[in-house]
Amino acid sequence: TDAEVSTRKKTFAEVQTERLDQAERTVLIKCPSKLNEKKLLQYLSSHGNVKSHFFFENRGINALIEFSEKSSIASLQDAVGIPSASEHHVVPFKSRLFTFTLKNPASQHIEDTPLHLSPQCHIPVKDLIGKLCLADSISSQMFILLNEYQLTEENIKLRFLACSLVRDFACAYFPDSTVKPFGSSVNTFGKLGSDVDMFLDFHDTGKHATKMKKGPFEMEYQMKRLPSERLATQRILSVIGDCLDNFGPGCVNVQKILNARCPLVKFSHQPTGFQCDLSVSNSIAIRSSELLYIYGCLDSRVRALVFAIRCWARVHGLTNSAPGTWITNFSLTMMVMFFLQRRSPPIIPTLDQLKELADEKDKHIIGGYDCSFVSDLRKIKPTKNTETLDVLLGEFFEYFGNFDFRKNSINLRKGKEVNKPESSPLYIWNPFEQDLNISKNVNQPQLEKFIAMARESAWILQKEDKTQQMINKEPWGLAALLIPFGKSNSSKMKNRMKGIGSETIKSLLDSLKLNNANSQQKAVGK
């Protein structure tokens, strides 16, 4: 649609600013079960114009209400009371989370039209497979998967609201701070049900720089000084973590993980239903989010392929929500990007090419690393490549099924296979911190399992007779790849795994059997 194209052309920063602003004008209401939508909106309008709203299910019915003016929230808050503390004692923190109950439920007649509830999670894989079988091509299968899994407009609003509610706390200590989402919530590759990564930012200092030049004095705040930035980060997160734990409405299971490489606070935000990870500003992580945002906006095939590959990897137990020796979704996404850079002609530009297009305002040097790349999507020439997703899916498996992982590494800056700088089984250069391997955690058996699955998938796509399978009502195309490759295939797989170290074949086949049981459960549960 035209609307989508025009929203697509916004820069990453513009989208972020708009969404954060929207979230500041938003409240969340736990609604009574017998709710008359018209009555609710009529009442809320007495506090100001309601710009948008939607309902969703999460321990009852909830409404997200976006006002046109921030002042409407203050007006509503003036009318809201503090819960009567008969059996519990309340912490009197006034937030933008409210509970509405009907004063006189008996008199309410329920509307004929039931409320439309926005789904906040995707359908189980087995239901997805049913839908995919009805499509007419692998391309349409991939777009169906994308539509089922990608974040909806409503879910994105809810993610930014969760950040905005945490910000209300941070501002008690640091009035200028902001809390922003990064990673999958904003890079166009997030799927429904994924965690919200958010960070606390104190760097809105640009606006002070000009004022400081005036006058005869060098002036600065007196601030507490600590021996390292890390210690400051740990202290800030520790206090905000305690704060959320003690006073945050609906913040439960707060865990402070302050000794990690990147210190963070994990918590469940019950009102929105999100699992959240809060850390302190990590500029490089933002640059990665923006880079993926650009790639995701450039060509519709990019996101469709990434979602399909990630779903495939999940079903076969190649990725896992727990940390470990398996490939992460981020690594997998980078592998897809690299593959698209390697097509002829390339479907997306290399990072070096994006850097060439950068102008002054796009210059970012972070901790000695050059993280500059163009932010204006209009400056990037569209690709001349016309390959269909049907072709690209098979070629992806073909490419990585035969990739020389022993010798080569994956470098998105150059868009070239370059010699591995060290001996990790899988080496993917961090696009910005050039001395880091983003897939350092992956061990040899996991990589070999990935290769075996890629070969198996390439083979299934090549040999398949779509028409026959459709007549027989058998899963075909992408659907056939989202069913765990069972014991029946293990003998056939042995033949296609020549050239893979034999000592891992046995453990591989065992883990396949093990995974079959698990992965259906996992894929459905996630």
Side-chain angles (χ1 to χ4, degrees):
T1 61
D2 292 344
E4 179 150 292
V5 171
S6 66
T7 57
R8 271 282 168 256
K9 287 297 175 202
K10 286 177 189 150
T11 68
F12 180 75
E14 287 163 352
V15 176
Q16 294 291 89
T17 307
E18 209 169 283
R19 296 260 183 216
L20 288 164
D21 175 61
Q22 216 172 31
E24 298 251 292
R25 294 181 275 104
T26 301
V27 301
L28 196 58
I29 299 171
K30 203 168 193 29
C31 301
S33 53
K34 296 177 176 172
L35 176 70
N36 181 318
E37 180 172 0
K38 231 190 234 113
K39 267 216 162 99
L40 175 70
L41 291 173
Q42 206 174 347
Y43 169 71
L44 290 168
S45 299
S46 69
H47 294 285
N49 181 45
V50 174
K51 192 170 176 189
S52 77
H53 74 285
F54 66 88
F55 297 96
F56 65 100
E57 217 290 320
N58 171 28
R59 303 159 174 249
I61 293 198
N62 299 270
L64 179 142
I65 309 288
E66 180 199 341
F67 285 105
S68 297
E69 301 293 332
K70 207 173 164 180
S71 56
S72 304
I73 295 180
S75 163
L76 175 60
Q77 280 172 322
D78 281 345
V80 174
I82 285 174
S84 51
S86 47
E87 67 272 34
H88 294 298
H89 215 74
V90 295
V91 174
F93 176 76
K94 295 177 182 171
S95 70
R96 289 178 280 146
L97 299 164
F98 312 117
T99 302
F100 282 25
T101 39
L102 290 166
K103 288 178 179 168
N104 188 354
S107 70
Q108 295 288 323
H109 60 278
I110 303 171
E111 284 183 76
D112 301 338
T113 51
L115 284 179
H116 170 69
L117 297 175
S118 300
Q120 303 303 319
C121 57
H122 61 74
I123 57 173
V125 172
K126 59 175 189 302
D127 299 358
L128 175 70
I129 289 172
K131 285 193 173 192
L132 297 183
C133 291
L134 303 172
D136 57 359
S137 68
I138 289 180
S139 279
S140 13
Q141 287 184 329
M142 288 166 78
F143 282 114
I144 290 169
L145 182 144
L146 177 64
N147 279 319
E148 290 293 341
Y149 275 50
Q150 69 183 346
L151 302 184
T152 57
E153 174 65 19
E154 291 80 11
N155 189 265
I156 293 170
K157 284 183 174 171
L158 209 48
R159 285 168 185 267
F160 275 85
L161 177 62
C163 293
S164 186
L165 293 168
V166 173
R167 182 196 176 191
D168 291 348
F169 269 97
C171 284
Y173 293 99
F174 309 108
D176 294 335
S177 60
T178 54
V179 175
K180 300 176 184 169
F182 69 96
S184 66
S185 297
V186 295
N187 66 17
T188 75
F189 295 97
K191 79 167 182 184
L192 286 172
S194 62
D195 296 357
V196 180
D197 293 309
M198 46 176 84
F199 72 92
L200 196 52
D201 196 7
F202 309 103
H203 295 308
D204 284 353
T205 45
K207 47 181 180 287
H208 295 307
T210 46
K211 289 181 187 161
M212 282 168 58
K213 294 197 177 76
K214 299 193 175 109
F217 300 109
E218 287 289 343
M219 300 178 291
E220 59 183 30
Y221 287 105
Q222 294 180 17
M223 289 181 170
K224 205 168 191 99
R225 294 172 189 271
L226 292 170
S228 71
E229 184 182 13
R230 182 175 172 82
L231 188 60
T233 296
Q234 288 169 324
R235 294 231 179 135
I236 291 165
L237 284 175
S238 180
V239 170
I240 291 187
D242 285 340
C243 207
L244 291 169
D245 201 9
N246 288 308
F247 313 134
C251 294
V252 298
N253 307 330
V254 179
Q255 291 170 281
K256 300 194 286 188
I257 306 170
L258 302 179
N259 290 323
R261 192 175 80 89
C262 178
L264 76 156
V265 175
K266 281 178 110 59
F267 61 98
S268 286
H269 191 254
Q270 278 177 333
T272 56
F274 291 122
Q275 186 58 46
C276 304
D277 285 358
L278 174 69
S279 49
V280 166
S281 178
N282 173 346
S283 316
I284 288 194
I286 313 298
R287 297 302 284 162
S288 297
S289 304
E290 179 166 359
L291 178 65
L292 285 173
Y293 171 85
I294 287 174
Y295 283 148
C297 291
L298 282 180
D299 190 293
S300 64
R301 291 168 292 181
V302 177
R303 294 171 64 241
L305 187 57
V306 168
F307 276 78
I309 297 295
R310 289 202 314 205
C311 185
W312 165 85
R314 191 54 185 255
V315 165
H316 297 297
L318 296 171
T319 54
N320 195 309
S321 52
T325 57
W326 28 76
I327 298 176
T328 62
N329 270 329
F330 182 58
S331 292
L332 207 50
T333 304
M334 289 306 191
M335 289 168 86
V336 176
M337 297 303 146
F338 183 71
F339 164 74
L340 295 172
Q341 291 175 340
R342 301 290 298 149
R343 301 310 292 158
S344 175
I347 292 179
I348 56 173
T350 66
L351 184 48
D352 279 345
Q353 289 164 337
L354 293 178
K355 186 179 148 185
E356 298 279 292
L357 296 168
D359 59 19
E360 253 335 284
K361 70 173 188 332
D362 296 325
K363 289 268 180 285
H364 288 266
I365 309 286
I366 302 165
Y369 297 105
D370 190 343
C371 303
S372 312
F373 55 82
V374 66
S375 58
D376 184 346
L377 292 159
R378 288 165 303 191
K379 292 186 183 165
I380 306 167
K381 286 198 175 64
T383 175
K384 299 252 194 314
N385 182 304
T386 56
E387 290 173 299
T388 63
L389 282 164
D390 302 52
V391 169
L392 291 171
L393 184 65
E395 290 287 328
F396 174 87
F397 294 127
E398 194 69 37
Y399 180 74
F400 282 114
N402 297 301
F403 188 89
D404 188 354
F405 288 103
R406 268 171 299 205
K407 182 166 141 280
N408 290 332
S409 65
I410 291 170
N411 188 320
L412 282 95
R413 272 206 166 270
K414 310 222 177 328
K416 283 200 174 76
E417 304 169 10
V418 295
N419 282 343
K420 266 202 245 185
E422 49 100 349
S423 64
S424 298
L426 174 60
Y427 198 103
I428 304 173
W429 297 68
N430 181 314
F432 302 113
E433 298 174 86
Q434 280 284 288
D435 38 9
L436 291 183
N437 170 12
I438 62 172
S439 50
K440 203 177 177 57
N441 63 308
V442 179
N443 64 14
Q444 194 62 32
Q446 286 297 326
L447 176 63
E448 297 194 358
K449 184 175 168 184
F450 170 81
I451 297 168
M453 292 297 181
R455 290 181 183 179
E456 177 71 2
S457 301
W459 189 79
I460 288 174
L461 290 176
Q462 278 162 12
K463 75 158 173 55
E464 98 179 342
D465 176 353
K466 181 175 111 179
T467 335
Q468 198 48 50
Q469 281 165 299
M470 288 173 95
I471 294 166
N472 297 352
K473 302 252 184 295
E474 289 169 25
W476 59 276
L478 179 57
L481 303 183
L482 296 184
I483 296 166
F485 305 147
K487 294 173 182 159
S488 60
N489 291 346
S490 61
S491 56
K492 284 187 265 178
M493 274 186 78
K494 279 181 183 148
N495 305 330
R496 281 192 294 286
M497 283 163 57
K498 293 193 170 64
I500 291 185
S502 62
E503 72 286 350
T504 44
I505 284 193
K506 192 181 172 319
S507 71
L508 187 68
L509 292 170
D510 291 344
S511 78
L512 279 181
K513 287 169 194 160
L514 226 163
N515 255 303
N516 274 354
N518 283 343
S519 54
Q520 284 255 260
Q521 199 40 49
K522 280 242 180 62
V524 171
K526 192 57 184 165

Short mmCIF file of all heavy atoms in Angstrom, two decimals, residues 41-74:
data_model
loop_
_atom_site.label_atom_id
_atom_site.label_comp_id
_atom_site.label_asym_id
_atom_site.label_seq_id
_atom_site.Cartn_x
_atom_site.Cartn_y
_atom_site.Cartn_z
N LEU A 41 -14.99 4.72 25.45
CA LEU A 41 -14.39 5.79 24.65
C LEU A 41 -15.08 7.13 24.92
O LEU A 41 -14.43 8.18 24.96
CB LEU A 41 -14.45 5.44 23.16
CG LEU A 41 -13.54 4.28 22.76
CD1 LEU A 41 -13.77 3.88 21.32
CD2 LEU A 41 -12.06 4.62 22.99
N GLN A 42 -16.38 7.05 25.13
CA GLN A 42 -17.14 8.27 25.42
C GLN A 42 -16.62 8.89 26.72
O GLN A 42 -16.36 10.09 26.80
CB GLN A 42 -18.61 7.87 25.59
CG GLN A 42 -19.59 8.96 25.30
CD GLN A 42 -21.02 8.39 25.35
OE1 GLN A 42 -21.21 7.17 25.36
NE2 GLN A 42 -22.00 9.27 25.40
N TYR A 43 -16.43 8.02 27.74
CA TYR A 43 -15.92 8.54 29.02
C TYR A 43 -14.51 9.11 28.85
O TYR A 43 -14.22 10.22 29.29
CB TYR A 43 -15.91 7.46 30.12
CG TYR A 43 -15.14 7.97 31.31
CD1 TYR A 43 -15.67 8.99 32.12
CD2 TYR A 43 -13.84 7.53 31.57
CE1 TYR A 43 -14.94 9.55 33.15
CE2 TYR A 43 -13.10 8.08 32.61
CZ TYR A 43 -13.65 9.09 33.39
OH TYR A 43 -12.92 9.66 34.40
N LEU A 44 -13.64 8.35 28.19
CA LEU A 44 -12.25 8.80 28.05
C LEU A 44 -12.16 10.12 27.28
O LEU A 44 -11.31 10.96 27.56
CB LEU A 44 -11.40 7.73 27.35
CG LEU A 44 -11.15 6.47 28.19
CD1 LEU A 44 -10.57 5.35 27.33
CD2 LEU A 44 -10.22 6.76 29.37
N SER A 45 -13.07 10.31 26.33
CA SER A 45 -13.06 11.53 25.51
C SER A 45 -13.33 12.77 26.36
O SER A 45 -12.98 13.89 25.95
CB SER A 45 -14.09 11.46 24.39
OG SER A 45 -13.78 10.37 23.56
N SER A 46 -13.93 12.57 27.54
CA SER A 46 -14.16 13.72 28.41
C SER A 46 -12.84 14.29 28.93
O SER A 46 -12.78 15.41 29.41
CB SER A 46 -15.08 13.34 29.58
OG SER A 46 -14.39 12.46 30.45
N HIS A 47 -11.76 13.49 28.81
CA HIS A 47 -10.43 13.98 29.23
C HIS A 47 -9.60 14.49 28.06
O HIS A 47 -8.52 15.04 28.27
CB HIS A 47 -9.67 12.86 29.95
CG HIS A 47 -10.30 12.46 31.23
ND1 HIS A 47 -10.22 13.23 32.38
CD2 HIS A 47 -11.07 11.39 31.55
CE1 HIS A 47 -10.91 12.63 33.35
NE2 HIS A 47 -11.43 11.52 32.88
N GLY A 48 -10.12 14.31 26.84
CA GLY A 48 -9.37 14.78 25.67
C GLY A 48 -9.56 13.82 24.51
O GLY A 48 -10.09 12.71 24.68
N ASN A 49 -9.11 14.23 23.34
CA ASN A 49 -9.32 13.42 22.14
C ASN A 49 -8.51 12.11 22.18
O ASN A 49 -7.30 12.12 22.43
CB ASN A 49 -8.93 14.25 20.92
CG ASN A 49 -9.15 13.48 19.63
OD1 ASN A 49 -10.19 12.85 19.46
ND2 ASN A 49 -8.18 13.52 18.76
N VAL A 50 -9.19 10.97 21.94
CA VAL A 50 -8.50 9.68 21.86
C VAL A 50 -8.06 9.46 20.42
O VAL A 50 -8.88 9.37 19.51
CB VAL A 50 -9.42 8.52 22.32
CG1 VAL A 50 -8.76 7.17 22.09
CG2 VAL A 50 -9.79 8.70 23.79
N LYS A 51 -6.75 9.41 20.21
CA LYS A 51 -6.23 9.35 18.84
C LYS A 51 -6.30 7.94 18.26
O LYS A 51 -6.59 7.74 17.09
CB LYS A 51 -4.78 9.84 18.83
CG LYS A 51 -4.25 10.09 17.44
CD LYS A 51 -2.91 10.82 17.48
CE LYS A 51 -2.35 10.95 16.08
NZ LYS A 51 -0.98 11.46 16.09
N SER A 52 -5.99 6.94 19.10
CA SER A 52 -6.12 5.56 18.63
C SER A 52 -6.28 4.67 19.86
O SER A 52 -5.92 5.06 20.97
CB SER A 52 -4.89 5.13 17.83
OG SER A 52 -3.81 4.84 18.71
N HIS A 53 -6.83 3.48 19.65
CA HIS A 53 -6.96 2.55 20.76
C HIS A 53 -7.08 1.13 20.20
O HIS A 53 -7.44 0.94 19.04
CB HIS A 53 -8.19 2.87 21.61
CG HIS A 53 -9.47 2.50 20.94
ND1 HIS A 53 -10.03 3.21 19.91
CD2 HIS A 53 -10.30 1.42 21.13
CE1 HIS A 53 -11.14 2.63 19.51
NE2 HIS A 53 -11.34 1.54 20.22
N PHE A 54 -6.74 0.15 21.04
CA PHE A 54 -7.04 -1.23 20.68
C PHE A 54 -7.18 -2.05 21.97
O PHE A 54 -6.77 -1.61 23.04
CB PHE A 54 -5.98 -1.84 19.75
CG PHE A 54 -4.62 -2.01 20.37
CD1 PHE A 54 -4.27 -3.17 21.07
CD2 PHE A 54 -3.66 -1.02 20.24
CE1 PHE A 54 -3.01 -3.32 21.64
CE2 PHE A 54 -2.39 -1.17 20.81
CZ PHE A 54 -2.07 -2.32 21.51
N PHE A 55 -7.79 -3.23 21.83
CA PHE A 55 -7.98 -4.12 22.97
C PHE A 55 -7.15 -5.37 22.78
O PHE A 55 -6.92 -5.80 21.65
CB PHE A 55 -9.46 -4.51 23.10
CG PHE A 55 -10.36 -3.34 23.36
CD1 PHE A 55 -11.01 -2.69 22.32
CD2 PHE A 55 -10.54 -2.86 24.66
CE1 PHE A 55 -11.83 -1.58 22.56
CE2 PHE A 55 -11.35 -1.76 24.91
CZ PHE A 55 -12.00 -1.12 23.85
N PHE A 56 -6.69 -5.95 23.87
CA PHE A 56 -5.99 -7.23 23.78
C PHE A 56 -6.25 -8.04 25.04
O PHE A 56 -6.67 -7.49 26.06
CB PHE A 56 -4.49 -7.03 23.54
CG PHE A 56 -3.75 -6.36 24.67
CD1 PHE A 56 -3.00 -7.11 25.57
CD2 PHE A 56 -3.79 -4.98 24.82
CE1 PHE A 56 -2.31 -6.49 26.62
CE2 PHE A 56 -3.10 -4.35 25.86
CZ PHE A 56 -2.36 -5.11 26.76
N GLU A 57 -6.01 -9.34 24.94
CA GLU A 57 -6.26 -10.25 26.04
C GLU A 57 -4.94 -10.51 26.77
O GLU A 57 -3.95 -10.85 26.16
CB GLU A 57 -6.79 -11.57 25.44
CG GLU A 57 -7.86 -12.25 26.28
CD GLU A 57 -7.33 -12.83 27.58
OE1 GLU A 57 -6.22 -13.40 27.58
OE2 GLU A 57 -8.03 -12.70 28.60
N ASN A 58 -4.94 -10.30 28.09
CA ASN A 58 -3.77 -10.64 28.89
C ASN A 58 -4.26 -10.64 30.33
O ASN A 58 -4.38 -9.60 30.93
CB ASN A 58 -2.65 -9.60 28.68
CG ASN A 58 -1.50 -9.79 29.65
OD1 ASN A 58 -1.23 -10.90 30.11
ND2 ASN A 58 -0.81 -8.71 29.99
N ARG A 59 -4.61 -11.82 30.85
CA ARG A 59 -5.25 -11.92 32.17
C ARG A 59 -6.48 -11.03 32.21
O ARG A 59 -6.59 -10.14 33.06
CB ARG A 59 -4.30 -11.47 33.29
CG ARG A 59 -3.01 -12.24 33.33
CD ARG A 59 -1.96 -11.42 34.08
NE ARG A 59 -0.76 -12.21 34.24
CZ ARG A 59 -0.32 -12.68 35.40
NH1 ARG A 59 -0.96 -12.41 36.51
NH2 ARG A 59 0.77 -13.40 35.46
N GLY A 60 -7.36 -11.19 31.25
CA GLY A 60 -8.53 -10.32 31.14
C GLY A 60 -8.37 -9.37 29.96
O GLY A 60 -7.38 -9.43 29.23
N ILE A 61 -9.33 -8.48 29.81
CA ILE A 61 -9.32 -7.58 28.66
C ILE A 61 -8.61 -6.28 29.01
O ILE A 61 -8.84 -5.71 30.08
CB ILE A 61 -10.76 -7.32 28.18
CG1 ILE A 61 -11.30 -8.64 27.62
CG2 ILE A 61 -10.81 -6.21 27.13
CD1 ILE A 61 -12.48 -8.55 26.75
N ASN A 62 -7.74 -5.84 28.13
CA ASN A 62 -7.00 -4.61 28.35
C ASN A 62 -7.17 -3.68 27.16
O ASN A 62 -7.35 -4.15 26.04
CB ASN A 62 -5.51 -4.91 28.49
CG ASN A 62 -5.23 -5.82 29.68
OD1 ASN A 62 -5.00 -5.36 30.76
ND2 ASN A 62 -5.28 -7.13 29.45
N ALA A 63 -7.09 -2.38 27.44
CA ALA A 63 -7.17 -1.40 26.37
C ALA A 63 -5.94 -0.51 26.39
O ALA A 63 -5.55 -0.02 27.45
CB ALA A 63 -8.42 -0.55 26.53
N LEU A 64 -5.31 -0.34 25.23
CA LEU A 64 -4.24 0.65 25.11
C LEU A 64 -4.89 1.89 24.48
O LEU A 64 -5.54 1.80 23.44
CB LEU A 64 -3.11 0.13 24.23
CG LEU A 64 -1.94 1.10 24.02
CD1 LEU A 64 -0.62 0.34 24.00
CD2 LEU A 64 -2.09 1.90 22.73
N ILE A 65 -4.76 3.01 25.16
CA ILE A 65 -5.42 4.25 24.73
C ILE A 65 -4.36 5.31 24.46
O ILE A 65 -3.58 5.67 25.35
CB ILE A 65 -6.35 4.80 25.85
CG1 ILE A 65 -7.31 3.70 26.36
CG2 ILE A 65 -7.08 6.05 25.38
CD1 ILE A 65 -8.42 3.32 25.40
N GLU A 66 -4.33 5.78 23.22
CA GLU A 66 -3.40 6.87 22.87
C GLU A 66 -4.18 8.17 22.74
O GLU A 66 -5.09 8.27 21.91
CB GLU A 66 -2.69 6.55 21.55
CG GLU A 66 -1.70 7.63 21.12
CD GLU A 66 -1.36 7.56 19.62
OE1 GLU A 66 -1.56 6.50 18.99
OE2 GLU A 66 -0.88 8.59 19.08
N PHE A 67 -3.86 9.15 23.60
CA PHE A 67 -4.49 10.46 23.52
C PHE A 67 -3.73 11.34 22.52
O PHE A 67 -2.56 11.11 22.26
CB PHE A 67 -4.47 11.14 24.90
CG PHE A 67 -5.47 10.59 25.88
CD1 PHE A 67 -5.04 9.77 26.93
CD2 PHE A 67 -6.82 10.89 25.77
CE1 PHE A 67 -5.96 9.26 27.86
CE2 PHE A 67 -7.74 10.38 26.69
CZ PHE A 67 -7.31 9.56 27.73
N SER A 68 -4.41 12.38 22.02
CA SER A 68 -3.73 13.33 21.13
C SER A 68 -2.80 14.24 21.92
O SER A 68 -1.77 14.67 21.41
CB SER A 68 -4.75 14.20 20.39
OG SER A 68 -5.55 13.39 19.58
N GLU A 69 -3.18 14.54 23.16
CA GLU A 69 -2.41 15.47 23.98
C GLU A 69 -1.95 14.79 25.26
O GLU A 69 -2.72 14.06 25.89
CB GLU A 69 -3.27 16.68 24.38
CG GLU A 69 -3.83 17.47 23.22
CD GLU A 69 -2.75 18.18 22.42
OE1 GLU A 69 -1.68 18.50 23.02
OE2 GLU A 69 -2.95 18.38 21.21
N LYS A 70 -0.72 15.10 25.65
CA LYS A 70 -0.19 14.52 26.88
C LYS A 70 -0.99 14.98 28.12
O LYS A 70 -1.13 14.26 29.09
CB LYS A 70 1.28 14.93 27.03
CG LYS A 70 2.08 13.94 27.82
CD LYS A 70 3.56 14.26 27.82
CE LYS A 70 4.24 13.49 28.93
NZ LYS A 70 5.67 13.73 28.99
N SER A 71 -1.54 16.20 28.02
CA SER A 71 -2.27 16.77 29.16
C SER A 71 -3.52 15.96 29.52
O SER A 71 -3.99 15.99 30.66
CB SER A 71 -2.67 18.21 28.86
OG SER A 71 -3.42 18.24 27.66
N SER A 72 -4.05 15.20 28.54
CA SER A 72 -5.24 14.38 28.82
C SER A 72 -4.93 13.33 29.89
O SER A 72 -5.81 12.94 30.66
CB SER A 72 -5.71 13.67 27.56
OG SER A 72 -5.94 14.59 26.53
N ILE A 73 -3.67 12.87 29.93
CA ILE A 73 -3.31 11.83 30.91
C ILE A 73 -3.40 12.41 32.32
O ILE A 73 -3.96 11.79 33.22
CB ILE A 73 -1.90 11.26 30.62
CG1 ILE A 73 -1.92 10.54 29.27
CG2 ILE A 73 -1.46 10.33 31.74
CD1 ILE A 73 -0.61 9.93 28.84
N ALA A 74 -2.88 13.64 32.49
CA ALA A 74 -2.94 14.29 33.80
C ALA A 74 -4.40 14.47 34.23
O ALA A 74 -4.76 14.24 35.39
CB ALA A 74 -2.22 15.63 33.74
#
